[in-house]
Amino acid sequence: MKKAILCISVAAMFSFSASAKIWRVNNGGIPADYTSLQDALTAIPIGDTIYLEGSPNSYALPASITKKVTIIGPGYFLTQNPNTLENKTAAIVKGDVYLLANGIVWEGLAHSEGSLGIGADNIIIRKCYLESVSGDDGNSNTYKKINNATIAQCYINGALDSYFTDTLFNAIITNNIFTATGLGYIVSRLYNTTIENNTFYSTSTVYGINNCNGCAIKNNIVTALNNNVNCNITNNYTTAGVTDFIGSATGTSDGKYQLSSTSAAKTAGTNGSECGAFGGTTPYVLSGLPAIPHIYEIEAPNAASAASGLKVTLKIGTER
């Protein structure tokens, strides 16, 4: 995390200069541009960005999103890890949804009680909590080849698969933590895809990658690599056990999957690099904090005067 401390009088002001507009959505009683995610998606122009703010109330998802937009939430597990946000409430989205517009960006969201279907090209899913994600446009009657999806730095408590009638090609699956229980294979039926620096682990069982074709599979922490055809499989760490990880001593749901200093996986990757989600050029970010400035601590006096004003200290961090 990069940090900055600002001392200001009265208020903090942030300005953005871009052709696309940013809209705030909040259904927790705080004034914003919209209180409904559906209303915002219906009204805003193509290419705009929604900041979906943390709220004690979950946000209902539409059945499909057919407009190219960027939706950014504050992350997840915010109460567990240090230096997250001053407001530690996540933006929880619920329901099944299909992403059907080329170029949608889905970041910093906590998606529960539903699956996420990738049904268009060039979709980016980054720093999210997910329970199920697949190549799927919701139409079971037609085959679709879906290109260039990116799924990166996510915590996925479920499977990543191509639906039987839709297939992910040329995707990038990198720096994710997969923790689902009761599933033998977590990633399957992907084509010409990079699967790199992911951690497949839950309790004392490591899960696997199955039935992929023409993929580059490298620097993962994974045991089972079965039925993968014409794949370049290199430098994966396949003997992980509980002692390879920091474990529950961190007290956080995602932090416990960091490697211990004595793990052989620390240097088992390409050219002696670290295997798993916390290695590589884009390491997993605890709590899925998005790559925008965020306030993680506020210091302010209880009272102010006309002479001295109100001196507020903000601690602001950014994540890559």
Side-chain angles (χ1 to χ4, degrees):
M1 178 186 288
K2 298 177 181 179
K3 301 177 182 177
I5 299 177
L6 305 178
C7 294
I8 59 175
S9 297
V10 184
M13 298 182 67
F14 297 92
S15 62
F16 300 88
S17 176
S19 56
K21 187 172 180 179
I22 294 172
W23 304 87
R24 293 176 49 236
V25 177
N26 191 303
N27 67 359
I30 296 175
D33 298 304
Y34 297 94
T35 58
S36 162
L37 178 57
Q38 176 67 79
D39 289 348
L41 289 167
T42 300
I44 70 173
I46 293 172
D48 279 7
T49 295
I50 293 172
Y51 281 175
L52 195 65
E53 299 179 351
S55 170
N57 306 310
S58 62
Y59 294 91
L61 285 170
S64 60
I65 298 177
T66 58
K67 183 182 296 183
K68 179 186 176 182
V69 294
T70 295
I71 305 176
I72 301 177
Y76 48 88
F77 302 150
L78 297 174
T79 61
Q80 299 184 27
N81 291 304
N83 297 334
T84 53
L85 300 176
E86 175 67 20
N87 178 1
K88 298 185 183 301
T89 307
I92 299 174
V93 291
K94 290 187 177 182
D96 297 334
V97 64
Y98 299 100
L99 306 181
L100 302 182
N102 191 321
I104 289 173
V105 178
W106 190 265
E107 181 173 354
L109 301 173
H111 187 186
S112 67
E113 299 180 19
S115 61
L116 185 62
I118 300 173
D121 295 342
N122 304 307
I123 285 175
I124 297 173
I125 301 168
R126 183 171 51 215
K127 297 179 179 178
C128 291
Y129 175 94
L130 304 171
E131 293 185 347
S132 176
V133 58
S134 62
D136 186 5
D137 68 353
N139 185 350
S140 61
N141 296 318
T142 59
Y143 171 78
K144 188 172 186 178
K145 181 178 178 180
I146 301 165
N147 286 290
N148 304 321
T150 296
I151 303 172
Q153 299 169 291
C154 294
Y155 185 101
I156 303 173
N157 188 27
L160 165 60
D161 199 352
S162 284
Y163 194 69
F164 291 105
T165 55
D166 299 308
T167 304
L168 293 177
F169 281 77
N170 306 308
I172 297 175
I173 314 299
T174 183
N175 294 97
N176 303 288
I177 297 174
F178 292 89
T179 65
T181 57
L183 298 174
Y185 297 100
I186 302 301
V187 170
S188 60
R189 292 192 289 267
L190 306 181
Y191 288 77
N192 302 337
T193 286
T194 297
I195 306 171
E196 182 176 0
N197 276 107
N198 301 283
T199 296
F200 298 82
Y201 202 84
S202 180
T203 314
S204 59
T205 303
V206 183
Y207 295 108
I209 301 169
N210 185 52
N211 283 334
C212 291
N213 195 308
C215 296
I217 303 172
K218 60 182 179 178
N219 299 344
N220 301 285
I221 295 176
V222 58
T223 291
L225 292 164
N226 294 338
N227 305 315
N228 298 300
V229 181
N230 299 321
C231 291
N232 182 15
I233 301 174
T234 58
N235 296 97
N236 297 283
Y237 188 72
T238 59
T239 57
V242 293
T243 58
D244 284 289
F245 300 94
I246 292 176
S248 58
T250 65
T252 73
S253 296
D254 51 358
K256 66 184 179 183
Y257 293 105
Q258 296 173 93
L259 291 174
S260 66
S261 60
T262 58
S263 173
K266 277 281 192 181
T267 56
T270 305
N271 298 321
S273 62
E274 180 175 334
C275 287
F278 292 89
T281 57
T282 57
Y284 178 91
V285 175
L286 293 176
S287 290
L289 298 180
I292 58 175
H294 57 270
I295 298 171
Y296 66 91
E297 187 175 322
I298 299 174
E299 298 176 4
N302 294 326
S305 68
S308 62
L310 178 66
K311 185 177 181 180
V312 178
T313 300
L314 304 179
K315 293 186 178 181
I316 298 174
T318 60
E319 296 289 351
R320 61 179 176 176

